[in-house]
C-alpha cells in the first residue's frame, strides 16, 4: 500500500511506501518533511481506527436480488427494458462512497486539528491524499476547506460489473440461489478491492492490535511542557470561582497530543526475559544511556536511574541526551514490547542532542528493531546516521529491499520527495555530499592561503 501526498502545504509531492519496514527521510530544513510525515501518520491512524462492518458481501448480494426483482417487474410493465435505468449502479456506488465518507470525516478532523493551512502556496493546485494498493486508488481532495472524494477506479469497476449483468437483472427475477458462481466471484473480487484498506496485510486482522506511535522533534521539551501544563490545569480547575480571566488552550497538533497522551497512559507489565524488544531496550540503556528509564504508573512520569547509583532522577533533571531518548525507550519498553502485532514508529530527528558516537549506536539499534518486526520511519539531518546505515547495508545487516530512502528537494512548486536509489553498496548521497565537499574545499583553500603567507 502507498499513501501519496500532493500539493499539501509546502509539499508538492511525497510517496510513502507502506510495504517498506525502514523509511529514512532526509532534506534541508523548512521543506515540509514533518508536514508530510504528520499527514501520513494521521491517514494511517484513521485507517487503523476505522470500523470494518460498513459493507458486507452478503448484504450487497441480497440487495442485488431485491433490485433485480424490482427491475424485472418494472420491465414487464413497460415492455421496454432498454429505456429503464438500472438503479443498482448508483445505489451500490453510494454505499461505497458512504463507506469512504466515514474515513474522510475522520481524516478531515485530524488534518484541521493539525495544520493551519493545507493549501500549497507555490503550485496553487488542489491538495490531495491518495491511498493506493495495486492498481486501485482512493483519492481525497481538499476543496473549499472540505475533504471530498474523487471518483475512484473501484466504483468504476462496480458499475462496469453491474452493466455486464444488466440484461440478467432486467429480464429475470432472480433468487439468491440462482446467482451463478461467476457473478458471486466477481462481487467478491470487486468488494475486496473496494475494502482494500481494511484487508491490507498490516491493516487487516491485526488492525486493533497494531501499535502506532509518533515521536515528534523536541520530544523532551514537549513532554515536560505538556506535563507541567496538565498540572497547572488541574490546579486551576480547583479554583474556578477565583479565575476571572479567560484562558485559551494552546494550539497543539494531533500527532503531538497523541504522543503526550500515549506517553501518559503507558501501563508497565511483567514480560518474559526473552522478549526481543526488551533485549533491544536493554542494549540502549546499557550502551547509550548508561542507566535505566522507568515510567511510574502512579505519577504518570518518566524517571532515570543511572547505573551504579541509587539516584532516581526526574527526566527534567537529566542530560539532554537522556531526556530525548527516554520517550523512545518508554514506548519500546511499555507499549511495543507488549504489542501482539507489527508496531509502526515515526521518529522525527532521533539524533537530537546525541554525540556522533551515540548516533551510530542508535542506528544499529534501529536496524535491530526492524529485524524484530517493528516498522521504523525517521526524518534526519545526520550524516552519521546516513553513513552508518550505508555500512549496515554493506555488511548485510539490513535487507535493502526493506528500505525506502527519500530526500526532499526544493522546487518553485514546493518540495518534491525523491526516492534515492539503493543497492548492495548503499544509498546514493544526494543530501550531505555536496556540503561535505564544500567544507573540505574551504579547508584546502584556507591551508593554501596559510602556506602562501608563510612563503
Amino acid at each position: 500500500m502507498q499513501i501519496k501526498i500532493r500539493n499539501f502545504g509546502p509539499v508538492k509531492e511525497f510517496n510513502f511506501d507502506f510495504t517498506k519496514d525502514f523509511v529514512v527521510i532526509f532534506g534541508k530544513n523548512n521543506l515540509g518533511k514533518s508536514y508530510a510525515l504528520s499527514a501520513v501518520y494521521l491517514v494511517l491512524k484513521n485507517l487503523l481506527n476505522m470500523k470494518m462492518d460498513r459493507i458486507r458481501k452478503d448484504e450487497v448480494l441480497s440487495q442485488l436480488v431485491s433490485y433485480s426483482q424490482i427491475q424485472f417487474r418494472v420491465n414487464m410493465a413497460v415492455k421496454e427494458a432498454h429505456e429503464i435505468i438500472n438503479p443498482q449502479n448508483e445505489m451500490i456506488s453510494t454505499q461505497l462512497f458512504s463507506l469512504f465518507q466515514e474515513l474522510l470525516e475522520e481524516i478531515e478532523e485530524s488534518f484541521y486539528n493539525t495544520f493551519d493551512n493545507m493549501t500549497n502556496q507555490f503550485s496553487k493546485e488542489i491538495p490531495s491524499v491518495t491511498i493506493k494498493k495495486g492498481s486501485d486508488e482512493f483519492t481525497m481532495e481538499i476543496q473549499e476547506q472540505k475533504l471530498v472524494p474523487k471518483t475512484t477506479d473501484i466504483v468504476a469497476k462496480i458499475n462496469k460489473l453491474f452493466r455486464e449483468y444488466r440484461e440478467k437483472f432486467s429480464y429475470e427475477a432472480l433468487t439468491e440461489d440462482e446467482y451463478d458462481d461467476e457473478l458471486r466471484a466477481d462481487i467478491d473480487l470487486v468488494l475486496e478491492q473496494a475494502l482494500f484498506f481494511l484487508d491490507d496485510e498490516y491493516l487487516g486482522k491485526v488492525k486493533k492490535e497494531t501499535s502506532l506511535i509518533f515521536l515528534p522533534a523536541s520530544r523532551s521539551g514537549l513532554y515536560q511542557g505538556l506535563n507541567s501544563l496538565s498540572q497547572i490545569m488541574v490546579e486551576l480547575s480547583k479554583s474556578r470561582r477565583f479565575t476571572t480571566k479567560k484562558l485559551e488552550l494552546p494550539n497543539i497538533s494531533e500527532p503531538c497530543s497523541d504522543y503526550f497522551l500515549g506517553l501518559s497512559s503507558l501501563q508497565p507489565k511483567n514480560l518474559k526475559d526473552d522478549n526481543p524488544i526488551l533485549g533491544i531496550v536493554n542494549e540502549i540503556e546499557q550502551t547509550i544511556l548508561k542507566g535505566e528509564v522507568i515510567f511510574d504508573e502512579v505519577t504518570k512520569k518518566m524517571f532515570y536511574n543511572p547505573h551504579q547509583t541509587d539516584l532516581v532522577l526526574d527526566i527534567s533533571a537529566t542530560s539532554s541526551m537522556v531526556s530525548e531518548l527516554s520517550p523512545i525507550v518508554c514506548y519500546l519498553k511499555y507499549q511495543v514490547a507488549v504489542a501482539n502485532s507489527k508496531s509502526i514508529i515515526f521518529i522525527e530527528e532521533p539524533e537530537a542532542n546525541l554525540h556522533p558516537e551515540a548516533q551510530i549506536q542508535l542506528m544499529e539499534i534501529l536496524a535491530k528493531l526492524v529485524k524484530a518486526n517493528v516498522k521504523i520511519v525517521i526524518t534526519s539531518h545526520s550524516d552519521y546516521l546516513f553513513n552508518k546505515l550505508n555500512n549496515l547495508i554493506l555488511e548485510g545487516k539490513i535487507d535493502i529491499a526493506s528500505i525506502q530512502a527519500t530526500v526532499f528537494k526544493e522546487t518553485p512548486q514546493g518540495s518534491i520527495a525523491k526516492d534515492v536509489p539503493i543497492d548492495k553498496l548503499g544509498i546514493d548521497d544526494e543530501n550531505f555530499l555536496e556540503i561535505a565537499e564544500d567544507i573540505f574545499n574551504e579547508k584546502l583553500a584556507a591551508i593554501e592561503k596559510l602556506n602562501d603567507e608563510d612563503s
Side-chain angles (χ1 to χ4, degrees):
M1 187 178 78
Q2 285 189 331
I3 296 175
K4 299 179 178 181
I5 307 294
R6 297 290 183 270
N7 302 298
F8 202 87
V11 180
K12 169 67 176 173
E13 182 178 316
F14 173 60
N15 294 334
F16 177 81
D17 190 345
F18 197 63
T19 66
K20 302 296 184 181
D21 288 328
F22 198 4
V23 180
V24 290
I25 302 170
F26 300 99
K28 296 179 181 179
N29 298 104
N30 206 32
L31 292 183
K33 298 187 297 297
S34 295
Y35 209 95
L37 208 62
S38 295
V40 168
Y41 164 79
L42 293 172
V43 172
L44 283 177
K45 171 188 172 181
N46 286 289
L47 284 174
L48 288 168
N49 291 338
M50 190 173 178
K51 297 176 182 179
M52 300 180 66
D53 57 356
R54 298 281 290 172
I55 290 184
R56 297 188 181 279
K57 298 171 190 174
D58 55 348
E59 292 176 1
V60 172
L61 187 60
S62 175
Q63 289 178 22
L64 290 180
V65 171
S66 175
Y67 294 154
S68 73
Q69 292 172 347
I70 294 171
Q71 189 69 53
F72 170 75
R73 290 195 294 272
V74 172
N75 288 347
M76 290 297 99
V78 299
K79 302 293 185 182
E80 293 291 342
H82 65 278
E83 295 180 1
I84 302 301
I85 299 175
N86 260 6
Q88 56 263 39
N89 293 9
E90 182 178 351
M91 289 185 174
I92 298 298
S93 298
T94 300
Q95 285 192 64
L96 286 174
F97 274 120
S98 70
L99 170 69
F100 295 133
Q101 191 61 41
E102 178 186 345
L103 176 65
L104 259 67
E105 291 171 358
E106 296 296 330
I107 294 176
E108 180 182 294
E109 183 176 357
S110 293
F111 281 178
Y112 282 99
N113 287 340
T114 302
F115 306 113
D116 291 330
N117 189 352
M118 288 171 273
T119 303
N120 188 316
Q121 299 299 316
F122 304 101
S123 71
K124 305 297 183 182
E125 296 181 31
I126 296 175
S128 69
V129 177
T130 298
I131 304 169
K132 176 180 172 63
K133 184 180 180 186
S135 60
D136 295 311
E137 295 186 350
F138 174 58
T139 297
M140 302 161 273
E141 289 186 343
I142 299 170
Q143 299 180 8
E144 298 180 352
Q145 303 301 308
K146 295 290 291 182
L147 200 60
V148 298
K150 288 184 66 177
T151 302
T152 67
D153 293 340
I154 297 165
V155 175
K157 287 183 179 181
I158 288 281
N159 288 335
K160 182 175 182 294
L161 169 65
F162 294 154
R163 281 197 301 271
E164 290 174 354
Y165 284 89
R166 182 168 180 171
E167 288 193 6
K168 176 168 284 192
F169 291 154
S170 297
Y171 293 108
E172 299 178 36
L174 301 176
T175 65
E176 190 166 333
D177 292 339
E178 291 175 316
Y179 275 80
D180 56 35
D181 292 338
E182 182 181 358
L183 176 55
R184 290 176 182 273
D186 285 345
I187 292 172
D188 283 351
L189 177 62
V190 175
L191 286 176
E192 282 175 6
Q193 291 171 328
L195 300 173
F196 68 98
F197 48 83
L198 299 180
D199 294 330
D200 186 85
E201 178 183 356
Y202 299 127
L203 301 177
K205 296 180 180 179
V206 298
K207 273 168 57 69
K208 305 230 179 256
E209 300 172 359
T210 299
S211 176
L212 180 65
I213 299 166
F214 191 97
L215 292 150
S218 303
R219 294 172 281 284
S220 172
L222 182 64
Y223 166 75
Q224 293 176 41
L226 290 177
N227 196 50
S228 298
L229 178 64
S230 64
Q231 295 175 30
I232 292 170
M233 295 301 291
V234 169
E235 292 301 320
L236 285 174
S237 69
K238 296 177 183 177
S239 308
R240 280 176 289 181
R241 284 192 306 155
F242 306 103
T243 304
T244 58
K245 292 186 177 181
K246 180 182 178 182
L247 297 175
E248 292 188 6
L249 292 174
N251 186 14
I252 303 170
S253 71
E254 191 166 312
C256 288
S257 62
D258 286 350
Y259 156 74
F260 177 71
L261 292 173
L263 200 56
S264 302
S265 59
L266 294 175
Q267 297 181 343
K269 295 180 180 179
N270 293 323
L271 299 173
K272 296 180 180 179
D273 293 336
D274 61 352
N275 185 293
I277 301 298
L278 288 186
I280 294 173
V281 168
N282 182 64
E283 186 175 345
I284 299 174
E285 293 177 328
Q286 293 290 334
T287 63
I288 303 179
L289 294 178
K290 311 296 183 184
E292 183 182 5
V293 178
I294 304 164
F295 180 79
D296 186 278
E297 195 173 2
V298 176
T299 62
K300 305 297 182 183
K301 295 176 67 176
M302 294 184 293
F303 296 91
Y304 172 66
N305 170 218
H307 287 159
Q308 300 178 340
T309 75
D310 295 328
L311 295 173
V312 179
L313 303 174
D314 187 281
I315 289 301
S316 61
T318 64
S319 71
S320 57
M321 178 195 72
V322 172
S323 61
E324 283 296 314
L325 283 183
S326 291
I328 300 176
V329 171
C330 274
Y331 267 118
L332 289 173
K333 184 185 292 188
Y334 301 118
Q335 183 166 327
V336 176
V338 302
N340 296 319
S341 65
K342 197 176 194 75
S343 294
I344 310 165
I345 307 179
F346 292 76
I347 312 176
E348 292 189 305
E349 301 176 21
E351 74 275 7
N353 296 315
L354 268 62
H355 184 275
E357 181 182 17
Q359 293 184 37
I360 291 170
Q361 292 170 329
L362 182 61
M363 178 53 78
E364 291 179 333
I365 296 294
L366 295 177
K368 289 179 180 178
L369 284 170
V370 172
K371 282 195 171 184
N373 201 35
V374 178
K375 186 186 291 291
I376 300 290
V377 185
I378 67 170
T379 63
S380 177
H381 295 289
S382 171
D383 59 337
Y384 294 102
L385 289 184
F386 177 83
N387 289 325
K388 182 58 181 179
L389 177 57
N390 273 342
N391 288 348
L392 292 171
I393 293 172
L394 281 165
E395 295 166 1
K397 292 183 178 180
I398 189 166
D399 181 10
I400 61 175
S402 69
I403 303 172
Q404 176 186 348
T406 300
V407 61
F408 273 64
K409 299 284 189 180
E410 188 175 9
T411 77
Q413 286 75 43
S415 60
I416 291 180
K418 176 185 176 184
D419 288 345
V420 183
I422 308 174
D423 58 28
K424 63 182 180 181
L425 298 178
I427 305 168
D428 288 349
D429 189 346
E430 298 189 13
N431 187 61
F432 303 108
L433 186 59
E434 183 177 341
I435 190 65
E437 289 177 344
D438 287 345
I439 199 167
F440 181 72
N441 290 332
E442 183 182 54
K443 177 181 178 180
L444 291 180
I447 292 173
E448 185 176 351
K449 182 179 179 180
L450 286 174
N451 289 337
D452 289 343
E453 291 174 353
D454 291 341
S455 60

